[in-house]
Amino acid sequence: HVQLVESGGGSVQAGGSLTLSCVASGYIDKRNCMGWVRQIAGEGREGIATIYNGGGSTWYHGSVKGRFTISQDSAKNTLYLEMKGLKPEDTGMYACAIGPGVVRGVIRTCDFESYGLGTQVTVS
């Protein structure tokens, strides 16, 4: 069983920056991919960024490409999300997630199985 604990959220003005961190503990399958999802009140979760193969490849939601960067420090079991040029529409609860990578046809995704409680990001 894996535990995920996020930190780094806060309130910033539009154009500002934040870096989120997620520390993973417990049993961690190194073959798993990890990512960040965003939950907005009254709506479901949406994927924001995913990292595969310890950083060998990444995926970003179109709305954050060029502004957010996902990375990980495998030695510290820590996942990061560097967020720059923040916009009010980036507001939400950001949670990290982990799961096995799956290939369906030509599409590769990360089937998240475990989520952290999240850290709130508010942009005004």
Side-chain angles (χ1 to χ4, degrees), residues 5 14 16-17 28 33 43-45 67 71 74 77 80-81 86 92 97 102 111 117 121:
V5 179
S17 301
I28 301 168
C33 39
E43 302 180 19
R45 293 189 186 109
R67 300 188 297 122
S71 62
S74 297
N77 286 337
Y80 302 98
L81 184 67
L86 283 161
V102 178
D111 279 0
L117 294 179
V121 172

Side-chain angles (χ1 to χ4, degrees), residues 14-95:
S17 301
L18 285 172
T19 297
L20 308 183
S21 300
C22 170
V23 177
S25 60
Y27 175 72
I28 301 168
D29 188 333
K30 296 297 184 182
R31 297 170 294 177
N32 280 348
C33 39
M34 296 188 71
W36 292 92
V37 300
R38 177 173 63 206
Q39 180 151 6
I40 301 172
E43 302 180 19
R45 293 189 186 109
E46 64 176 349
I48 296 300
T50 303
I51 191 165
Y52 300 87
N53 302 325
S57 64
T58 56
W59 169 88
Y60 295 93
H61 189 281
S63 67
V64 307
K65 275 184 180 178
R67 300 188 297 122
F68 291 10
T69 303
I70 188 171
S71 62
Q72 68 183 145
D73 184 334
S74 297
K76 296 180 179 179
N77 286 337
T78 302
L79 181 72
Y80 302 98
L81 184 67
E82 183 180 14
M83 312 163 74
K84 297 181 178 179
L86 283 161
K87 304 175 181 180
E89 51 263 43
D90 295 322
T91 294
M93 181 70 77
Y94 285 72

